[in-house]
């Protein structure tokens, strides 16, 4: 009888331990049979964070961890077997895609030639320029925004409209007095950037102001804007080479990468056939 009672007590203790597992060393939370350990949150809090903020960060992480564990356990209990099989196929395919993509990207990165010559860029542009139409208006202009009380305004105005690159020293000297400026009118910019830099220009007066060769002096409160429009390209026109140059380089590099991927896939398949690692049975 004593042995029987002891046996029952042993079973009860074991059952309690199984259904209510105790805290494990270094663990900070538990959901079912899953544990979260101190090492899991060791690098979670940035250095210098206050004790109060650290506690909030860790507690938020623990709560999210617990929610995810509880949700996945509930999902595994309630999702049908057919659905689980569908998900298993998707998970398997995702793993294949993830691994192969990472491997191919590494192979391409270490192999592809990233140098694109000016000649190659110009040839690609010449052969495909119809594919590079502008999405909006492009402008080449120069401007200065300065105070109307500037003591050298007359000189600045004169040199601005009769611009000469030899006056570089002059512009270097007086540029610090300007509120904003852009003197390189060789660069094409999108009209949206012009609206930001020159608030005196807007969609309502754009057609009047933005014309090739237009010279303007516009006063706005305490400021004066000196503007010289060099050239304009309207929407749906062929983009100029210099403006589209970065895009051309990306297109050419992507083309090289795709060709390398096709070559690599063919070589790995041919090698497998040669080594009799790949066979198709008829």
């Amino acid at each position: 009888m004593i042995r029987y009672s002891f046996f029952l007590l042993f079973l009860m203790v074991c059952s309690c331990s199984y259904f209510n597992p105790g805290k494990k060393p270094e663990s900070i939370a538990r959901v079912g049979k899953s544990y979260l350990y101190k090492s899991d949150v060791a690098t979670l809090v940035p250095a210098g964070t206050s004790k109060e903020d650290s506690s909030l960060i860790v507690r938020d992480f623990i709560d999210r961890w617990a929610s995810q564990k509880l949700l996945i356990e509930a999902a595994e209990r309630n999702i049908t077997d057919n659905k689980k099989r569908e998900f298993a196929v998707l998970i398997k395919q995702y793993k294949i895609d993830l691994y192969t993509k990472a491997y191919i990207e590494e192979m391409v990165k270490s192999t592809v030639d990233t140098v694109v010559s000016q000649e190659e860029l110009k040839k690609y542009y010449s052969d495909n320029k119809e594919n590079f139409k502008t999405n909006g208006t492009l402008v080449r202009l120069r401007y200065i925004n300065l105070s109307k009380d500037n003591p050298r305004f007359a000189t600045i105005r004169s040199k601005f409209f009769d611009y000469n690159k030899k006056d570089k020293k002059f512009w270097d000297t007086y540029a610090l007095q300007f509120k904003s400026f852009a003197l390189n009118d060789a660069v094409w910019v999108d009209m949206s950037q012009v609206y930001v830099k020159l608030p005196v220009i807007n969609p309502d007066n754009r057609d009047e102001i933005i014309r090739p060769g237009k010279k303007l002096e516009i006063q706005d409160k305490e400021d004066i804007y000196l503007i010289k429009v060099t050239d304009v390209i309207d929407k749906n026109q062929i983009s100029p080479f210099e403006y589209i140059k970065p895009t051309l380089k990306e297109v050419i590099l992507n083309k090289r990468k795709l060709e390398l991927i096709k070559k690599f896939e063919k070589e790995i398949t041919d090698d497998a056939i040669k080594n009799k690692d790949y066979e198709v049975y008829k």
Side-chain angles (χ1 to χ4, degrees), residues 55-190:
S55 298
L56 288 172
I57 292 170
V58 173
R59 185 52 194 262
D60 183 60
F61 180 85
I62 293 171
D63 288 343
R64 283 186 284 111
W65 172 83
S67 295
Q68 289 177 345
K69 289 293 181 183
L70 292 166
L71 282 170
I72 189 65
E73 288 179 8
E76 288 175 342
R77 287 195 304 270
N78 293 285
I79 290 176
T80 64
D81 290 340
N82 284 339
K83 207 64 173 173
K84 287 179 181 177
R85 282 191 287 271
E86 286 179 26
F87 288 156
V89 172
L90 291 173
I91 292 167
K92 183 178 180 181
Q93 186 59 50
Y94 179 70
K95 180 181 178 181
I96 292 170
D97 294 341
L98 199 64
Y99 275 53
T100 53
K101 184 174 181 290
Y103 178 56
I104 288 174
E105 283 180 351
E106 279 300 314
M107 293 296 293
V108 168
K109 193 194 313 184
S110 61
T111 309
V112 68
D113 180 8
T114 57
V115 177
V116 183
S117 68
Q118 186 81 349
E119 292 72 21
E120 190 174 1
L121 287 168
K122 286 184 175 179
K123 184 178 185 310
Y124 193 87
Y125 174 74
S126 177
D127 294 343
N128 301 277
K129 61 173 65 176
E130 289 296 329
N131 297 327
F132 299 104
K133 299 286 185 72
T134 56
N135 294 321
T137 301
L138 299 179
V139 186
R140 286 197 298 129
L141 54 73
R142 62 178 184 267
Y143 77 90
I144 293 174
N145 174 15
L146 72 165
S147 171
K148 66 178 182 180
D149 297 327
N150 191 297
R152 298 298 303 274
F153 175 76
T155 304
I156 292 168
R157 183 185 185 281
S158 175
K159 285 187 174 292
F160 176 81
F161 287 122
D162 295 323
Y163 189 77
N164 192 321
K165 289 183 178 180
K166 293 179 180 179
D167 293 330
K168 183 179 182 302
K169 187 175 180 181
F170 173 87
W171 294 117
D172 288 344
T173 301
Y174 286 95
L176 293 175
Q177 299 179 16
F178 305 151
K179 296 185 178 181
S180 64
F181 68 96
L183 297 175
N184 185 5
D185 58 2
V187 177
W188 289 95
V189 295
D190 190 89

Side-chain angles (χ1 to χ4, degrees), residues 1 4 11 23 30 42 89 106 129 133 151 175 180 221 227 239 267 280:
M1 185 67 180
Y4 179 71
L11 284 178
K23 179 180 178 181
R30 178 185 66 81
V89 172
E106 279 300 314
K129 61 173 65 176
K133 299 286 185 72
S180 64
K221 297 178 182 178
I227 304 169
S239 297
E267 286 177 351
V280 176

